[in-house]
Amino acid sequence: MVDHLANTEINSQRIAAVENCFGASGQPLALPGRVLLGEGILTKECRKKPKPRIFFLFNDILVYGSIVINKRKYNSQHIIPLEDVTLETLPDTLQMKNRWMIKTSKKSFVVSAASLTERKEWISHLEECIRYLLTKTGRQPSTEHAAPWIPDKATDICMRCTQTKFSTLTRRHHCRKCGFVVCADCSRQRFLMPRLSPKPLRVCNLCYRQLLAEKKKEAEADRRQSEPICSAIQGYEPSSDDSDKSDDDKADQWPDTEFYTSQVSWSSFHR
């Protein structure tokens, strides 16, 4: 299907239409060999509440954004390389059905489709693209994933100390390592996690201690590994004729609409 659509005029028009809907706030999406395979509205579990998001599946990336005017204007564009994606099917909840998790090294989140059929289609197409890319590049599936943030409404108390109750004045925070909802006292520390951000991020006290222990363990391993090299360097005597002295970084305007209507299809895939 990818080979059939690549470099065709209709594919170029579809990609240009997506770029136009994101406008100047979005990145260019047209690349040689890139194909738009499908698109649709999925409900994304966000921090405050589930919200509809527009998703576009290409043969190498997954793009999503906030809906301003359906089929006319989107913003808050996010681009996810499919090579970094792992999928996990999740059970239904009272609030959301047909759920699955999209896991990456930088961000993981839960989405749901309007029907079980649509979920199967999305997962099938995603897995097919991921398999193709991994085979093409020789890479192994990603095993390190960012923790999904637990929604604010999932708990009224801090998930670490279990004592602090959240209120208008007592804010909720999220640990960037485990995704737990925690209070300020339980998340005063910051830790640098390069795969997530170039800046130190808020982490809960437990994760901070674990991260410090891991860092200390890695430093000790590096020190032991360098000892033989240092010994060899100390015993090295340069020859007398060595003349080499030197080396020459939105608004959501979508109405609160019920998306789970059994007769409505919100996604479409190109054949």
Side-chain angles (χ1 to χ4, degrees):
M1 178 170 59
V2 172
D3 294 337
H4 174 70
L5 290 172
N7 304 317
T8 63
E9 182 64 25
I10 189 170
N11 180 62
S12 299
Q13 291 174 355
R14 287 168 176 164
I15 296 178
V18 175
E19 289 182 335
N20 185 58
C21 288
F22 277 105
S25 65
Q27 296 184 37
L29 298 173
L31 281 180
R34 177 170 288 169
V35 175
L36 176 60
L37 297 175
E39 58 193 81
I41 296 174
L42 298 174
T43 301
K44 179 177 177 289
E45 285 189 7
C46 300
R47 176 176 179 175
K48 298 294 184 182
K49 63 178 182 179
K51 298 178 182 179
R53 293 287 184 259
I54 184 69
F55 281 78
F56 297 95
L57 175 61
F58 295 81
N59 57 325
D60 61 335
I61 58 174
L62 180 66
V63 178
Y64 73 92
S66 300
I67 302 169
V68 180
I69 304 174
N70 192 27
K71 297 186 180 298
R72 291 181 58 188
K73 187 177 181 181
Y74 311 122
N75 61 16
S76 302
Q77 184 191 75
H78 296 266
I79 300 177
I80 303 175
L82 290 181
E83 290 181 10
D84 192 36
V85 171
T86 303
L87 307 177
E88 179 184 350
T89 303
L90 300 175
D92 292 346
T93 65
L94 293 176
Q95 294 77 25
M96 297 180 67
K97 301 182 184 300
N98 314 309
R99 306 162 67 234
W100 76 95
M101 187 183 298
I102 298 174
K103 300 190 289 186
T104 78
S105 60
K106 294 184 178 295
K107 184 176 184 179
S108 299
F109 54 94
V110 177
V111 294
S112 66
S115 69
L116 182 60
T117 299
E118 284 189 28
R119 183 178 74 171
K120 289 180 178 178
E121 283 193 316
W122 272 103
I123 292 178
S124 174
H125 283 82
L126 281 163
E127 288 180 339
E128 183 179 354
C129 291
I130 294 168
R131 279 195 302 269
Y132 176 80
L133 287 171
L134 293 178
T135 301
K136 183 179 179 181
T137 60
R139 286 182 49 183
Q140 294 297 313
S142 179
T143 57
E144 193 172 3
H145 308 114
W149 283 19
I150 295 176
D152 285 2
K153 291 185 178 181
T155 179
D156 292 328
I157 61 173
C158 173
M159 300 178 70
R160 283 304 181 201
C161 69
T162 67
Q163 300 297 319
T164 303
K165 292 187 176 182
F166 298 118
S167 64
T168 305
L169 298 179
T170 306
R171 290 186 54 203
R172 291 171 169 84
H173 300 280
H174 279 82
C175 171
R176 270 56 171 182
K177 179 68 169 62
C178 65
F180 276 27
V181 183
V182 291
C183 65
D185 287 341
C186 288
S187 60
R188 294 193 181 281
Q189 305 294 344
R190 302 290 186 276
F191 199 90
L192 180 63
M193 294 178 281
R195 65 185 177 88
L196 297 182
S197 171
K199 299 180 181 180
L201 300 174
R202 179 189 295 270
V203 292
C204 68
N205 296 341
L206 177 61
C207 286
Y208 182 72
R209 292 193 294 269
Q210 292 175 343
L211 288 167
L212 276 182
E214 290 173 5
K215 185 177 181 180
K216 184 178 180 180
K217 190 174 181 180
E218 290 172 0
E220 180 66 19
D222 290 342
R223 185 186 66 80
R224 291 178 179 175
Q225 190 174 5
S226 65
E227 284 179 349
I229 299 176
C230 293
S231 300
I233 292 175
Q234 290 173 0
Y236 171 70
E237 295 184 3
S239 60
S240 59
D241 62 345
D242 187 1
S243 58
D244 239 350
K245 302 300 182 185
S246 62
D247 292 322
D248 295 329
D249 179 217
K250 150 219 263 204
D252 292 321
Q253 300 178 20
W254 188 264
D256 292 331
T257 305
E258 175 59 58
F259 281 86
Y260 302 114
T261 53
S262 58
Q263 279 76 35
V264 179
S265 175
W266 290 96
S267 304
S268 61
F269 295 93
H270 308 310
R271 303 298 180 185

